[in-house]
Every structure is written in C-alpha cells, then in structure tokens.
Amino acid sequence: MLCTVSGDVRAPDVIEVPVGTPLREVLDLAGGPAGPLRAVLVGGYHGAWVTDVGLPLSATGLAPAGAAPGAGVLLALGWHQCPLEVSSRVVGYLAEQSARQCGPCLNGLPALAASMRALATPGCSPAVGQRLAELAGLVAGRGACHHPDGTVRLVRSVLTTFGDEVAAHVAGRCGGHV
Ligand code: SF4
C-alpha cells in the first residue's frame, strides 16, 4: 500500500510498503523519527492516535488500538510536541472543511473545535473532556457523509490516548509545544 509519512520524521515521503509492515519500519523508510516519538496519527486526519509503533500497518493489526490504515497517511508526533495542541489544530481544520449543509457540520464540528481549543490550553476546566465526549456522541452518525464521523474518531482517540496529557493540562501544565 502507498503511505504518506510526515510530521516529526527526518525525510517526509510517499512510500510503498506491504500491508502488515510494522509502523516503526514505515517510519524508518521515511528517514526515521527525528527524535523520541510520543505517538503516530494513523489513517490521516480522520484517523486515530497510536502509541505502539510495533503494531502492523493493517486493519487487523491496528484494530486493538482502535485505528485503521484508512488513507495510508501517517503523522509522527515528537515527544516535544503537545498532542492536544496538534489535535486541536487538526480538528479546527476539519471543522472548516465542509459546505455546512448538515447539522453536525454546521453546529457540531465548530463546537468540537472550540472545546478542543479549550483542552489544548493549560489550565483548562476539568469539565472540558466530558463536554468533548458528549459532543462526540451528539455528532456521530448524524451527517449525510462520514466527515463528522471521522472528526469524532479523532476526538475520541485524543481522549482515550492522551489521558495523562489531559490531566496535565487541567492541572495547568503542558509537557510539549508545537
Ligand atoms: S455531513 Fe458531509 S455532506 Fe453534510 S455538511 Fe458535513 S461534509 Fe457536507
């Protein structure tokens, strides 16, 4: 399968790999991580964060992490980067990428983006994670296409993968920056 590898890697590239290639090897083909990795966003902006780069790039291999190869796009997140800030930017971008013809895109995605911005700010309210989970439940399955569902997948992945970072932000700390 064709993969686009970008983010915190030495040589962002489009490469072809056999299905089932471990994520670590795919990253190595793009020159390797530029430094210690925190996670990899697998499946593009509608994908999910994966912290175990030993997992194979296949539907069955990624399923335990709640991810899938999707569009074959990998985004490497360095340890120095804040996953909440990066995810907030992505959700903000996704909220802008619709014709705003359906309720989930007109109202739901901007609300998700606003709550993600709040979550990305150290010192955020402890209620913001719960608000994001509630919004995700309201938006999922309600669009005429799956753009809102893909955005919800990413938001839910943030909440399940980066619980420590969420707790740190609520406590007013941030372990990384963009
Ligand atoms: S749900 Fe799909 S079709 Fe409806 S506004 Fe959003 S992107 Fe457009």
Side-chain angles (χ1 to χ4, degrees):
M1 67 180 294
L2 280 179
C3 282
T4 302
V5 187
S6 63
D8 206 35
V9 288
R10 292 195 173 86
D13 203 358
V14 178
I15 52 183
E16 188 166 8
V17 296
V19 171
T21 303
L23 293 175
R24 182 184 295 108
E25 290 182 25
V26 181
L27 296 172
D28 285 345
L29 288 170
L37 274 186
R38 191 185 293 264
V40 181
L41 180 58
V42 179
Y45 283 178
H46 281 165
W49 290 105
V50 174
T51 55
D52 180 1
V53 294
L55 291 180
L57 183 62
S58 68
T60 52
L62 291 167
V73 177
L74 304 185
L75 177 73
L77 183 81
W79 196 259
H80 62 288
Q81 295 177 292
C82 173
L84 307 184
E85 172 64 22
V86 171
S87 299
S88 170
R89 290 184 184 205
V90 174
V91 173
Y93 168 80
L94 292 173
E96 293 174 356
Q97 305 307 307
S98 87
R100 296 176 172 81
Q101 297 299 302
C102 305
C105 279
L106 186 65
N107 302 309
L109 298 193
L112 278 171
S115 289
M116 282 297 300
R117 276 197 304 277
L119 189 71
T121 306
C124 62
S125 163
V128 71
Q130 181 61 33
R131 173 69 176 152
L132 276 164
E134 290 171 358
L135 286 169
L138 290 170
V139 167
R142 300 245 169 108
C145 75
H146 291 299
H147 177 61
D149 294 341
T151 309
V152 163
R153 182 182 303 114
L154 174 60
V155 169
R156 284 175 169 161
S157 169
V158 170
L159 296 177
T160 56
T161 308
F162 299 118
D164 289 349
E165 286 81 355
V166 170
H169 274 214
V170 169
R173 302 189 307 274
C174 181
H177 62 276
V178 176

